Amino acid sequence: MIVADTFLDAAHARGFDLYSGVPCSYLMPFTNTAISSPTLSYVGAANEGDAVAIAAGATLGGRGAVAMFQNSGLGNAVSPLTSLTWTFRLPVLIIVTWRGEPGGAADEPQHELMGRITPRLLEAMDIPWQRFPSEDEAVEPTLDVVQRHMVESGRPFALVMSKCSVAASALVAQTMSPRTGATVPPAIGEPSLDRRSALCALREAAGARDVLLATTGFTGRELCAIGDEADQLYMVGSMGCIASLGLGLALARPEHRVIAIDGDGALLMRLGVLATVGAVAPKNLVHVVIDNGMHESTGGQTTVSASADLAAAAAACGYARVLRAGALADIAGALAGGDGPTLLHVPVRPGVTSPLPRPSVTPAGVAARLKAHLEA
């Protein structure tokens, strides 16, 4: 058994200073110490997939990042682990507990199957793993293995934590005052904008220090078709994770404004991110929701956005600014100033430029290019 600081200090010395996760009793002392540490940043995520995406955004911004959660939530993280961190080569360290470990401590019946398959699930996702170190002398060699893999492959590594690997640690009392969200503007009637014109307006209004992240599907492809730039990233897969990715990047790079361009269907998949963004409150994050009321890239199936006021939800979750755009001038005005986090709801008509090309640069190339741009 180790004390949490033994691992956290060693990892911090290697650049791992941002943690995002969902609590687990096995992780309790580790999580408590990370939360209480004056030298580390901890972001409590609404779910495990969001934790991976937040850590991925921080990694994209040049910070060493860790996502940690119970193995029962590993399934929730499959999408970003297979189509975000792996595809874009964002080497996040995963710490996952081993509830239901075969031959280990007795556990509840819901952990039996996942306990049996946790190593196989990691291996199926091409994530190498080893046991979380439970002895002081194993910490540095373990981190050597982690870093060697990350440098050589640019992809995640997992440490699987058994029960009682880390000694108990008390949590410094946390206080979180309720945030008063922005006033919700009136809803816009029949939309007059289309997605392409909205993206053009965002591109034109973006400043030299802004970064644009576009959600999966037609949004990223259309942004690329308008003009492929080094300050842009086009998400593939990982649906619903663009705001979490943007949050992690905004925290890692406060000197840049991050414009995370979402879709109604994508946001609805992981609506809990609104609460996380509202609580963390990064001033440099603009969350744009282009809402056409459908999953257009998969055939136009209707979403439920017509009965869900996404702008009001963001205000209820503590966003500092909540705006709607019914005209192109509204988009330019939204980006003209004001501390965030900002939610800009942009209702648009369905429709797509045909044929819509795919980016010619690979996802890994797009991420590497953006990293270089941020360092310039």
Side-chain angles (χ1 to χ4, degrees), residues 8 18-24 27-28 30-35 41-43 45 47-48 51-52 55 65-71 92-97 132 159 161:
L8 293 170
L18 187 142
Y19 289 73
S20 184
V22 178
C24 169
L27 274 170
M28 186 191 310
F30 199 76
T31 304
N32 288 355
T33 305
I35 291 172
S41 299
Y42 180 84
V43 180
N47 60 67
E48 297 81 4
V52 171
V66 181
M68 53 188 185
F69 43 81
Q70 185 178 118
N71 57 338
V92 171
L93 173 58
I94 309 298
I95 299 177
V96 58
T97 60
F132 188 90
L159 297 178
M161 181 185 287

Side-chain angles (χ1 to χ4, degrees), residues 179 181 271-279 312-319:
R179 289 180 54 81
L271 204 56
V273 71
L274 294 177
T276 306
V277 170
C317 288
Y319 276 60

Side-chain angles (χ1 to χ4, degrees), residues 61-136:
R63 289 179 73 171
V66 181
M68 53 188 185
F69 43 81
Q70 185 178 118
N71 57 338
S72 62
L74 189 55
N76 189 284
V78 166
S79 175
L81 285 174
T82 55
S83 58
L84 177 57
T85 56
W86 192 94
T87 309
F88 285 90
R89 292 184 180 267
L90 298 173
V92 171
L93 173 58
I94 309 298
I95 299 177
V96 58
T97 60
W98 202 348
R99 301 295 300 266
E101 178 182 354
D107 214 328
E108 301 298 325
Q110 67 268 25
H111 298 299
E112 181 181 356
L113 177 57
M114 182 56 84
R116 287 207 312 264
I117 68 172
T118 292
R120 283 184 283 154
L121 185 54
L122 291 168
E123 291 159 7
M125 291 190 289
D126 200 20
I127 299 175
W129 68 278
Q130 64 183 49
R131 288 179 177 271
F132 188 90
S134 57
E135 302 293 338
D136 289 353

Side-chain angles (χ1 to χ4, degrees), residues 235-250:
M235 180 173 276
V236 293
S238 318
M239 190 168 171
C241 290
I242 200 69
S244 294
L245 184 75
L247 172 58
L249 181 57

Side-chain angles (χ1 to χ4, degrees), residues 156-222:
F157 193 98
L159 297 178
V160 181
M161 181 185 287
S162 297
K163 188 175 184 178
C164 297
S165 294
V166 185
S169 175
L171 176 67
V172 173
Q174 295 176 279
T175 59
M176 181 168 289
S177 301
R179 289 180 54 81
T180 301
T183 301
V184 182
I188 293 170
E190 194 67 24
S192 61
L193 300 178
D194 58 68
R195 181 176 49 244
R196 185 179 181 87
S197 64
L199 290 172
C200 286
L202 285 168
R203 181 66 268 182
E204 291 171 6
R209 303 289 287 172
D210 291 346
V211 175
L212 285 76
L213 313 177
T215 190
T216 188
F218 286 162
T219 300
R221 291 170 61 186
E222 198 145 31

